[in-house]
Amino acid sequence: MTKTILIIGSGFSALAASCYLAQQGNHVTIYEKNDTIGGRARQFKKDGFTFDMGPSWYWMPDVFERFFHDFNKKTSDYYELIKLNPAYRVYFGVEDFISICDNLEAIKSTFEAIESGSAKKLENFINQAKSNYDIAIKDLVYRPGVSPLELITPQTTLKLNQFFSTVSRDIRKNFTNERLIQILEFPVLFLGAKPTKTPSFYNFMNYADFGLGTWHPKTGMFDVVRGIEKLAVELGVKIKTNAQIEKIVVKNKTAAGIIVNGNFVEADIVVSGADYHHTETLLDKTFRTYTEEYWNSRVFAPSSLLFFVGLNKKIENISHHALFFDVDFNQHAVDIYDNPKWPDAPLFYANFPSKTDETAAPSGMESAFFLIPLAPGIEDNETLREEYFEKIITRFEKLTQQEIKKNIIFKRSFCKNDFVEDYNAYKGNAYGMANTLLQTAFLRPKLKSKKVKNLYFTGQLTVPGPGVPPALISGKLVAALIHKSIRPKKDEITI
């Protein structure tokens, strides 16, 4: 039975959901409030420079391949990938950095040179991480978070103790060098939580890092957005931008459509890939599943202060991805999660896409992206933004032994207020809800509304969680739930 399905938002989860729903034979239309698609993965261009505005790490390539394979396609049908070597570089001081290579054997050698005996420990640690990856990413995350029983499998029962230890504790049992510890703790930051609060089962992120490597779509992450958009259009999806959603209309406790730019558009089913909290504000209070008290009690992943910078020269002593851990790693985490405030000495991340992609900047120039993780919901103003830009650029110049301030042609900042304005992000969060033990799987906000029939959700605030690969999976999960609700049992598809 063909249904008319309207999707709010055009981020990765919404785009993925649109493809699956159209493949099922439904009439699908995406409505995006901004003038371009992609959500947080939009693209920004200025004066010959090109920037990905959000996600810039391409990890878990198998998840992307699995997505396109569901449509008898390959990623190479839509974009080209480059494996980065080094994958990234971590700076701890002046001329003091560790480069992470593109293969585990080289990384083991790097570890061994720093801490005797750590190569073998790393091999064992990554083998464990791979085992967890095979359970989590190839199975568990493709379950819809309906029941706690989804987590109970022969494989997970053998790893039950890993849900009650933490990533930080397990890493510190094996390694003593603080620099190596920080490198191993870093990947779980993609899950939006402190390593000391993240179940050790999530060390599968270390396999995603060291085992599968860091990749870069040839001209940036927006290549992936364009690729999925092309697939969606091939499947018959319609996409409308500059479409402000003002209300989700409910009749007889059933989603009946949406009001877009003042006009009512009828639907059989409504799916929101927009911020979950914001989406519920589009409903009358009686139809909202989660209260303001609920949202305020959740642990949210950080917001971010971003800078998109154009430089009129090439930068030296730097890699495509660079992490700056020359200050107290733990104190910055405290300033995000425990005592939310602007950090006195922030860690930061820098990305120079023009190191890999010559189209990202004019000849002889460099495009630079800087990111400082911040607590969601804190004060945001231009004075603070400028103060922190000065802090990190001064440190960048010192750590990489070069001047760049005088070579800045332009810069654009993007912070908490912009996340609220552009994405309706709750408290201006950048990465959704953290994957802590009490916010995992069935303990996350549900894909299906409990109060409104035919209303569904997808994205980083629901199952399975934050990150681009989980967003693709979330789109598949919600499409499967919808398929199950509108098809006879004999036609149900498996995930």
Side-chain angles (χ1 to χ4, degrees):
M1 184 184 300
T2 299
K3 298 290 185 180
T4 296
I5 301 177
L6 308 184
I7 299 179
I8 301 171
S10 66
F12 278 113
S13 60
L15 287 169
S18 77
C19 292
Y20 287 109
L21 292 167
Q23 183 187 49
Q24 294 166 14
N26 300 296
H27 299 302
V28 181
T29 304
I30 289 174
Y31 291 87
E32 166 58 52
K33 72 181 285 286
N34 294 308
D35 57 4
T36 62
I37 66 165
R40 286 167 169 78
R42 291 184 299 163
Q43 191 178 66
F44 167 55
K45 291 189 174 187
K46 182 178 174 64
D47 299 341
F49 295 87
T50 302
F51 304 89
D52 288 314
M53 293 187 67
S56 58
W57 294 76
Y58 192 102
W59 274 9
M60 304 184 187
D62 53 319
V63 174
F64 294 86
E65 287 292 350
R66 184 168 174 175
F67 169 77
F68 283 101
H69 183 264
D70 285 340
F71 304 93
N72 296 314
K73 302 288 186 179
K74 303 185 296 293
T75 56
S76 58
D77 294 330
Y78 294 93
Y79 54 89
E80 180 182 338
L81 288 173
I82 300 166
K83 193 173 189 182
L84 298 182
N85 189 25
Y88 54 92
R89 188 179 280 180
V90 185
Y91 289 79
F92 297 96
V94 178
E95 296 184 357
D96 179 13
F97 61 83
I98 296 174
S99 291
I100 300 301
C101 297
D102 65 347
N103 67 90
L104 183 57
E105 288 303 312
I107 297 170
K108 284 164 56 180
S109 296
T110 297
F111 270 53
E112 186 67 25
I114 295 169
E115 180 180 317
S116 179
S118 64
K120 183 61 178 176
K121 290 179 180 178
L122 180 63
E123 182 178 0
N124 293 337
F125 184 79
I126 296 301
N127 285 340
Q128 177 66 68
K130 182 182 185 302
S131 173
N132 290 356
Y133 188 92
D134 289 341
I135 294 169
I137 303 302
K138 295 181 180 179
D139 182 15
L140 291 184
V141 295
Y142 286 90
R143 302 185 182 204
V146 174
S147 165
L149 296 178
E150 294 172 5
L151 298 180
I152 302 175
T153 70
Q155 292 79 15
T156 57
T157 54
L158 294 175
K159 295 177 178 288
L160 193 60
N161 64 311
Q162 293 189 38
F163 288 94
F164 298 98
S165 183
T166 68
V167 166
S168 183
R169 188 179 305 154
D170 282 12
I171 289 171
R172 290 171 187 275
K173 277 193 287 187
N174 290 285
F175 304 92
T176 59
N177 183 276
E178 196 61 33
R179 296 188 303 167
L180 299 184
I181 288 170
Q182 289 182 12
I183 288 172
L184 289 168
E185 288 182 339
F186 145 69
V188 302
L189 298 179
F190 284 96
L191 302 173
K194 293 166 65 175
T196 54
K197 296 292 185 182
T198 304
S200 59
F201 181 76
Y202 283 99
N203 69 16
F204 64 72
M205 292 296 293
N206 292 107
Y207 175 71
D209 180 0
F210 290 178
L212 297 175
T214 301
W215 302 75
H216 183 71
K218 186 175 181 180
T219 62
M221 286 294 287
F222 199 68
D223 284 1
V224 188
V225 175
R226 276 192 293 247
I228 301 176
E229 176 195 27
K230 183 180 179 186
L231 172 63
V233 172
E234 290 169 353
L235 292 165
V237 176
K238 297 178 181 177
I239 301 174
K240 299 181 183 294
T241 55
N242 295 305
Q244 183 71 45
I245 312 302
E246 296 156 6
K247 190 176 181 64
I248 297 173
V249 178
V250 178
K251 296 179 181 178
N252 299 320
K253 297 183 179 180
T254 302
I258 57 179
I259 296 178
V260 186
N261 296 338
N263 300 309
F264 173 66
V265 182
E266 188 175 9
D268 297 310
I269 294 169
V270 174
V271 179
S272 179
D275 179 274
Y276 204 123
H277 169 271
H278 169 72
T279 302
E280 289 219 309
T281 68
L282 301 175
L283 296 162
D284 293 334
K285 280 190 176 181
T286 187
F287 297 123
R288 299 174 191 174
T289 300
Y290 302 100
T291 64
E292 288 298 318
E293 290 75 20
Y294 169 85
W295 290 112
N296 197 47
S297 70
R298 300 300 88 187
V299 178
F300 273 80
S303 184
S304 295
L305 170 56
L306 312 175
F307 294 101
F308 309 102
V309 180
L311 298 157
N312 65 6
K313 73 170 185 178
K314 284 293 183 184
I315 305 301
E316 301 175 349
N317 308 325
I318 198 70
S319 58
H320 182 119
H321 294 296
L323 301 163
F324 292 83
F325 288 177
D326 55 306
V327 296
D328 191 329
F329 185 100
N330 294 319
Q331 183 57 51
H332 192 160
V334 167
D335 293 339
I336 292 174
Y337 295 103
D338 301 333
N339 181 30
K341 70 183 188 71
W342 283 79
D344 292 327
L347 286 78
F348 68 97
Y349 156 66
N351 169 24
F352 297 87
S354 47
K355 289 293 180 188
T356 303
D357 169 21
E358 63 182 18
T359 70
S363 179
M365 300 187 186
E366 207 89 83
S367 57
F369 170 102
F370 297 91
L371 181 153
I372 302 173
L374 297 172
I378 62 174
E379 179 186 8
D380 171 24
N381 58 56
E382 287 300 323
T383 300
L384 283 166
R385 296 186 189 193
E386 287 301 312
E387 176 186 340
Y388 277 77
F389 183 74
E390 181 65 24
K391 282 187 177 186
I392 64 171
I393 293 302
T394 298
R395 279 169 47 204
F396 178 88
E397 289 186 327
K398 179 181 178 182
L399 293 166
T400 63
Q401 297 288 281
Q402 63 192 311
E403 292 185 7
I404 67 167
K405 290 179 187 176
K406 64 184 181 182
N407 299 102
I408 295 173
I409 301 173
F410 73 86
K411 76 173 186 296
R412 174 186 175 184
S413 66
F414 196 96
C415 197
K416 190 259 305 187
N417 292 346
D418 301 298
F419 281 101
V420 173
E421 176 67 23
D422 286 11
Y423 310 127
N424 295 307
Y426 181 70
K427 293 185 177 181
N429 80 84
Y431 305 104
M433 189 183 292
N435 260 346
T436 60
L437 179 61
L438 297 179
Q439 294 182 171
T440 294
F442 68 97
L443 295 173
R444 298 181 71 82
K446 303 300 183 185
L447 291 162
K448 185 177 182 180
S449 172
K450 293 179 180 179
K451 294 189 175 182
V452 180
K453 184 180 180 183
N454 293 347
L455 174 61
Y456 295 83
F457 301 84
T458 187
Q460 60 186 6
L461 291 184
T462 181
V463 180
V468 177
L472 296 179
I473 295 167
S474 187
K476 179 172 184 174
L477 292 175
V478 76
L481 282 183
I482 292 170
H483 185 85
K484 183 176 181 179
S485 74
I486 62 179
R487 291 289 190 268
K489 275 197 170 183
K490 63 180 181 180
D491 291 334
E492 285 181 15
I493 59 173
T494 57
I495 299 173

Short mmCIF file of all heavy atoms in Angstrom, two decimals, residues 328-363:
data_model
loop_
_atom_site.label_atom_id
_atom_site.label_comp_id
_atom_site.label_asym_id
_atom_site.label_seq_id
_atom_site.Cartn_x
_atom_site.Cartn_y
_atom_site.Cartn_z
N ASP A 328 45.33 20.40 29.55
CA ASP A 328 44.77 19.34 30.38
C ASP A 328 43.51 18.75 29.76
O ASP A 328 42.45 19.39 29.73
CB ASP A 328 44.46 19.89 31.77
CG ASP A 328 44.14 18.80 32.79
OD1 ASP A 328 43.59 17.76 32.39
OD2 ASP A 328 44.43 19.00 33.98
N PHE A 329 43.63 17.51 29.25
CA PHE A 329 42.52 16.80 28.60
C PHE A 329 41.35 16.64 29.57
O PHE A 329 40.19 16.89 29.22
CB PHE A 329 43.06 15.42 28.17
CG PHE A 329 42.11 14.56 27.38
CD1 PHE A 329 42.22 14.49 26.00
CD2 PHE A 329 41.14 13.79 28.01
CE1 PHE A 329 41.37 13.67 25.25
CE2 PHE A 329 40.29 12.98 27.28
CZ PHE A 329 40.40 12.92 25.90
N ASN A 330 41.62 16.23 30.79
CA ASN A 330 40.57 15.95 31.76
C ASN A 330 39.85 17.21 32.21
O ASN A 330 38.64 17.21 32.42
CB ASN A 330 41.14 15.20 32.96
CG ASN A 330 41.63 13.82 32.58
OD1 ASN A 330 41.00 13.11 31.81
ND2 ASN A 330 42.79 13.43 33.11
N GLN A 331 40.60 18.30 32.37
CA GLN A 331 39.97 19.54 32.82
C GLN A 331 39.00 20.07 31.78
O GLN A 331 37.93 20.58 32.13
CB GLN A 331 41.04 20.60 33.12
CG GLN A 331 40.47 21.92 33.67
CD GLN A 331 39.64 21.74 34.91
OE1 GLN A 331 40.07 21.11 35.88
NE2 GLN A 331 38.42 22.29 34.92
N HIS A 332 39.35 19.97 30.51
CA HIS A 332 38.42 20.42 29.47
C HIS A 332 37.14 19.59 29.52
O HIS A 332 36.04 20.11 29.36
CB HIS A 332 39.07 20.33 28.09
CG HIS A 332 38.29 21.04 27.02
ND1 HIS A 332 38.83 21.43 25.84
CD2 HIS A 332 36.97 21.42 26.95
CE1 HIS A 332 37.91 22.01 25.08
NE2 HIS A 332 36.78 22.01 25.74
N ALA A 333 37.27 18.28 29.77
CA ALA A 333 36.08 17.43 29.89
C ALA A 333 35.22 17.86 31.06
O ALA A 333 33.98 17.88 30.98
CB ALA A 333 36.49 15.98 30.04
N VAL A 334 35.85 18.23 32.18
CA VAL A 334 35.11 18.73 33.35
C VAL A 334 34.34 20.00 32.97
O VAL A 334 33.18 20.18 33.37
CB VAL A 334 36.08 19.01 34.52
CG1 VAL A 334 35.39 19.81 35.62
CG2 VAL A 334 36.62 17.70 35.08
N ASP A 335 34.97 20.87 32.19
CA ASP A 335 34.34 22.13 31.79
C ASP A 335 33.18 21.92 30.83
O ASP A 335 32.36 22.83 30.64
CB ASP A 335 35.38 23.05 31.16
CG ASP A 335 36.44 23.52 32.14
OD1 ASP A 335 36.17 23.46 33.36
OD2 ASP A 335 37.53 23.92 31.70
N ILE A 336 33.11 20.76 30.21
CA ILE A 336 31.99 20.45 29.33
C ILE A 336 30.87 19.75 30.09
O ILE A 336 29.71 20.14 30.01
CB ILE A 336 32.44 19.56 28.15
CG1 ILE A 336 33.36 20.34 27.22
CG2 ILE A 336 31.22 19.04 27.36
CD1 ILE A 336 33.97 19.48 26.11
N TYR A 337 31.22 18.73 30.87
CA TYR A 337 30.20 17.84 31.44
C TYR A 337 29.89 18.08 32.92
O TYR A 337 28.74 17.96 33.34
CB TYR A 337 30.64 16.38 31.27
CG TYR A 337 30.73 15.94 29.83
CD1 TYR A 337 31.95 15.84 29.19
CD2 TYR A 337 29.58 15.65 29.09
CE1 TYR A 337 32.05 15.44 27.86
CE2 TYR A 337 29.66 15.26 27.77
CZ TYR A 337 30.89 15.16 27.16
OH TYR A 337 30.97 14.78 25.85
N ASP A 338 30.90 18.40 33.71
CA ASP A 338 30.69 18.45 35.16
C ASP A 338 30.38 19.86 35.67
O ASP A 338 29.53 20.04 36.55
CB ASP A 338 31.94 17.91 35.88
CG ASP A 338 32.25 16.48 35.47
OD1 ASP A 338 31.31 15.76 35.09
OD2 ASP A 338 33.43 16.08 35.53
N ASN A 339 31.09 20.83 35.17
CA ASN A 339 30.91 22.22 35.60
C ASN A 339 30.88 23.09 34.35
O ASN A 339 31.86 23.77 34.04
CB ASN A 339 32.06 22.64 36.53
CG ASN A 339 31.92 24.06 37.01
OD1 ASN A 339 30.80 24.56 37.16
ND2 ASN A 339 33.04 24.72 37.25
N PRO A 340 29.77 23.05 33.62
CA PRO A 340 29.72 23.67 32.29
C PRO A 340 30.13 25.14 32.29
O PRO A 340 29.52 25.97 32.97
CB PRO A 340 28.24 23.51 31.89
CG PRO A 340 27.76 22.34 32.68
CD PRO A 340 28.48 22.44 33.99
N LYS A 341 31.18 25.42 31.54
CA LYS A 341 31.64 26.80 31.37
C LYS A 341 32.61 26.85 30.20
O LYS A 341 33.05 25.81 29.70
CB LYS A 341 32.32 27.30 32.64
CG LYS A 341 33.67 26.65 32.96
CD LYS A 341 34.21 27.17 34.28
CE LYS A 341 35.64 26.70 34.54
NZ LYS A 341 36.63 27.36 33.65
N TRP A 342 32.94 28.05 29.78
CA TRP A 342 33.98 28.18 28.76
C TRP A 342 35.30 27.75 29.36
O TRP A 342 35.69 28.23 30.43
CB TRP A 342 34.06 29.63 28.28
CG TRP A 342 32.96 29.99 27.33
CD1 TRP A 342 31.67 30.30 27.64
CD2 TRP A 342 33.06 30.07 25.91
NE1 TRP A 342 30.95 30.57 26.50
CE2 TRP A 342 31.78 30.43 25.42
CE3 TRP A 342 34.10 29.86 24.99
CZ2 TRP A 342 31.52 30.60 24.06
CZ3 TRP A 342 33.84 30.03 23.64
CH2 TRP A 342 32.56 30.39 23.19
N PRO A 343 36.02 26.83 28.73
CA PRO A 343 37.26 26.31 29.31
C PRO A 343 38.36 27.36 29.30
O PRO A 343 38.49 28.14 28.35
CB PRO A 343 37.62 25.13 28.39
CG PRO A 343 36.98 25.48 27.08
CD PRO A 343 35.71 26.21 27.43
N ASP A 344 39.15 27.39 30.37
CA ASP A 344 40.27 28.33 30.42
C ASP A 344 41.32 27.97 29.38
O ASP A 344 41.93 28.84 28.75
CB ASP A 344 40.90 28.33 31.82
CG ASP A 344 39.95 28.91 32.87
OD1 ASP A 344 39.18 29.82 32.53
OD2 ASP A 344 39.98 28.42 34.01
N ALA A 345 41.55 26.67 29.22
CA ALA A 345 42.55 26.19 28.25
C ALA A 345 41.92 25.08 27.43
O ALA A 345 41.93 23.92 27.82
CB ALA A 345 43.79 25.69 28.99
N PRO A 346 41.33 25.42 26.29
CA PRO A 346 40.58 24.42 25.51
C PRO A 346 41.46 23.53 24.64
O PRO A 346 42.43 23.99 24.03
CB PRO A 346 39.69 25.28 24.63
CG PRO A 346 40.49 26.53 24.40
CD PRO A 346 41.23 26.76 25.70
N LEU A 347 41.13 22.24 24.59
CA LEU A 347 41.64 21.40 23.52
C LEU A 347 40.98 21.88 22.24
O LEU A 347 39.87 22.47 22.27
CB LEU A 347 41.28 19.95 23.75
CG LEU A 347 42.03 19.16 24.82
CD1 LEU A 347 41.51 19.48 26.21
CD2 LEU A 347 41.90 17.67 24.57
N PHE A 348 41.60 21.63 21.11
CA PHE A 348 40.92 21.97 19.86
C PHE A 348 41.36 21.04 18.74
O PHE A 348 42.36 20.32 18.86
CB PHE A 348 41.11 23.45 19.48
CG PHE A 348 42.51 23.85 19.09
CD1 PHE A 348 42.89 23.92 17.76
CD2 PHE A 348 43.45 24.21 20.07
CE1 PHE A 348 44.17 24.32 17.39
CE2 PHE A 348 44.73 24.62 19.71
CZ PHE A 348 45.09 24.67 18.37
N TYR A 349 40.60 21.06 17.70
CA TYR A 349 40.82 20.23 16.51
C TYR A 349 40.96 21.14 15.32
O TYR A 349 40.25 22.16 15.21
CB TYR A 349 39.65 19.26 16.35
CG TYR A 349 39.41 18.75 14.94
CD1 TYR A 349 40.33 17.92 14.31
CD2 TYR A 349 38.25 19.08 14.24
CE1 TYR A 349 40.11 17.44 13.03
CE2 TYR A 349 38.01 18.60 12.97
CZ TYR A 349 38.94 17.79 12.35
OH TYR A 349 38.72 17.32 11.08
N ALA A 350 41.85 20.80 14.41
CA ALA A 350 42.01 21.57 13.17
C ALA A 350 41.98 20.63 11.98
O ALA A 350 42.46 19.50 12.05
CB ALA A 350 43.32 22.35 13.19
N ASN A 351 41.41 21.11 10.91
CA ASN A 351 41.24 20.31 9.71
C ASN A 351 41.63 21.19 8.52
O ASN A 351 41.14 22.31 8.38
CB ASN A 351 39.77 19.87 9.63
CG ASN A 351 39.40 19.25 8.30
OD1 ASN A 351 40.24 18.75 7.57
ND2 ASN A 351 38.12 19.29 7.97
N PHE A 352 42.52 20.67 7.69
CA PHE A 352 42.99 21.39 6.50
C PHE A 352 42.66 20.58 5.26
O PHE A 352 43.52 19.85 4.73
CB PHE A 352 44.49 21.68 6.61
CG PHE A 352 44.85 22.55 7.78
CD1 PHE A 352 45.09 21.99 9.02
CD2 PHE A 352 44.90 23.92 7.64
CE1 PHE A 352 45.40 22.79 10.12
CE2 PHE A 352 45.21 24.73 8.73
CZ PHE A 352 45.45 24.17 9.97
N PRO A 353 41.41 20.65 4.78
CA PRO A 353 41.00 19.81 3.65
C PRO A 353 41.81 20.05 2.39
O PRO A 353 41.99 19.14 1.57
CB PRO A 353 39.53 20.18 3.45
CG PRO A 353 39.36 21.51 4.11
CD PRO A 353 40.32 21.52 5.25
N SER A 354 42.35 21.26 2.25
CA SER A 354 43.13 21.55 1.04
C SER A 354 44.46 20.80 1.03
O SER A 354 45.15 20.79 0.00
CB SER A 354 43.37 23.06 0.92
OG SER A 354 43.81 23.62 2.15
N LYS A 355 44.84 20.14 2.12
CA LYS A 355 46.01 19.28 2.11
C LYS A 355 45.77 18.04 1.25
O LYS A 355 46.72 17.43 0.73
CB LYS A 355 46.37 18.84 3.54
CG LYS A 355 46.95 19.94 4.42
CD LYS A 355 48.31 20.37 3.93
CE LYS A 355 48.91 21.46 4.79
NZ LYS A 355 50.15 22.01 4.19
N THR A 356 44.50 17.66 1.14
CA THR A 356 44.13 16.47 0.37
C THR A 356 43.41 16.83 -0.92
O THR A 356 43.60 16.19 -1.95
CB THR A 356 43.23 15.55 1.22
OG1 THR A 356 43.92 15.22 2.43
CG2 THR A 356 42.86 14.27 0.47
N ASP A 357 42.58 17.87 -0.84
CA ASP A 357 41.70 18.25 -1.94
C ASP A 357 42.10 19.62 -2.47
O ASP A 357 41.84 20.65 -1.82
CB ASP A 357 40.25 18.25 -1.45
CG ASP A 357 39.28 18.88 -2.44
OD1 ASP A 357 39.62 18.96 -3.64
OD2 ASP A 357 38.19 19.29 -2.00
N GLU A 358 42.74 19.66 -3.63
CA GLU A 358 43.22 20.94 -4.17
C GLU A 358 42.09 21.89 -4.54
O GLU A 358 42.32 23.09 -4.70
CB GLU A 358 44.12 20.69 -5.37
CG GLU A 358 43.43 20.02 -6.55
CD GLU A 358 44.36 19.75 -7.71
OE1 GLU A 358 45.59 19.74 -7.50
OE2 GLU A 358 43.85 19.54 -8.83
N THR A 359 40.85 21.39 -4.65
CA THR A 359 39.73 22.28 -4.99
C THR A 359 39.19 23.01 -3.76
O THR A 359 38.33 23.88 -3.89
CB THR A 359 38.57 21.49 -5.63
OG1 THR A 359 37.94 20.64 -4.64
CG2 THR A 359 39.05 20.64 -6.78
N ALA A 360 39.70 22.67 -2.56
CA ALA A 360 39.18 23.28 -1.33
C ALA A 360 39.69 24.70 -1.12
O ALA A 360 39.16 25.44 -0.27
CB ALA A 360 39.53 22.41 -0.12
N ALA A 361 40.70 25.10 -1.87
CA ALA A 361 41.26 26.45 -1.72
C ALA A 361 41.90 26.87 -3.04
O ALA A 361 42.34 26.02 -3.83
CB ALA A 361 42.29 26.48 -0.60
N PRO A 362 42.00 28.16 -3.30
CA PRO A 362 42.71 28.62 -4.50
C PRO A 362 44.17 28.18 -4.46
O PRO A 362 44.73 27.89 -3.40
CB PRO A 362 42.60 30.16 -4.40
CG PRO A 362 41.39 30.40 -3.55
CD PRO A 362 41.39 29.28 -2.55
N SER A 363 44.80 28.13 -5.60
CA SER A 363 46.18 27.68 -5.71
C SER A 363 47.10 28.47 -4.77
O SER A 363 47.03 29.70 -4.70
CB SER A 363 46.66 27.85 -7.16
OG SER A 363 48.00 27.45 -7.28
#
